[in-house]
Amino acid sequence: MKKVIIASFFGTFLLAGTLFAQDIPQSSVPSVVLNKFQQTFPKATDVEWEMSAGKYKVDFETGAGTDHEAYYDKTGKLTRHKEDISKGSLPAKVLEKLKSAYGSYRVEDVDKITEGTKVTYSMELKSSTEEWKITFDKLGNVLSKIAD
């Protein structure tokens, strides 16, 4: 009986591990994926790989500590790229919307997210009483707004 319980515990533990992202060594990343990554981001540092939902996810930095997160499929196609950007790097329409609708909020943790040809901008907006996680398209339209 004790062996069954221990086996069940380890079986559950192993199954749970496959459902979540798993760190993998760079040597386990297929060469086609690794080559595409190195071509696209030749100045990447602090590179960390993992498997997430069947994709190769890589976290890395470029330049002066700019954080990036990229997802590649098994053929080496970049399917999603998220990078930290400054508020000043936002498109003019997004800055206009922030000023007109959220002028009293502090803007923090600004990310540019590219999926295929679609580009969105995600950030945290904070006031003394509210916090929002908000996503805009390049024209300043609000795509999502979630209380944080």
Side-chain angles (χ1 to χ4, degrees), residues 89-126:
S89 297
L90 289 167
K93 298 267 186 190
V94 175
L95 289 170
E96 288 172 20
K97 182 69 168 192
L98 283 171
K99 186 176 180 181
S100 67
Y102 304 99
S104 63
Y105 290 80
R106 287 185 327 276
V107 178
E108 297 180 357
D109 299 326
V110 181
D111 294 316
K112 177 182 178 183
I113 303 165
T114 306
E115 294 183 78
T117 59
K118 181 181 177 185
V119 177
T120 58
Y121 301 89
S122 178
M123 65 208 68
E124 292 179 14
L125 300 178
K126 296 181 179 183

Side-chain angles (χ1 to χ4, degrees), residues 25 62 70 86 105 113 123 131 143 145:
T62 60
S86 67
Y105 290 80
I113 303 165
M123 65 208 68
E131 292 185 21
L143 301 176
K145 182 179 175 184

Side-chain angles (χ1 to χ4, degrees), residues 9-90:
F9 172 78
F10 283 111
T12 303
F13 179 77
L14 289 174
L15 178 62
T18 62
L19 297 176
F20 301 102
Q22 299 175 345
D23 290 340
I24 59 172
Q26 185 166 305
S27 61
S28 296
V29 177
S31 61
V32 67
V33 174
L34 192 55
N35 289 338
K36 288 288 189 177
F37 167 70
Q38 290 172 340
Q39 289 170 4
T40 307
F41 303 103
K43 295 183 180 183
T45 60
D46 295 327
V47 177
E48 296 179 8
W49 289 93
E50 61 184 58
M51 285 297 295
S52 179
K55 304 270 182 171
Y56 292 91
K57 176 186 173 203
V58 59
D59 291 310
F60 60 100
E61 293 181 2
T62 60
T66 302
D67 291 330
H68 295 258
E69 183 179 282
Y71 291 82
Y72 289 87
D73 67 16
K74 64 183 178 181
T75 68
K77 179 181 179 189
L78 178 62
T79 60
R80 183 175 196 270
H81 175 227
K82 180 174 95 170
E83 64 181 301
D84 289 346
I85 63 170
S86 67
K87 178 183 170 185
S89 297
L90 289 167

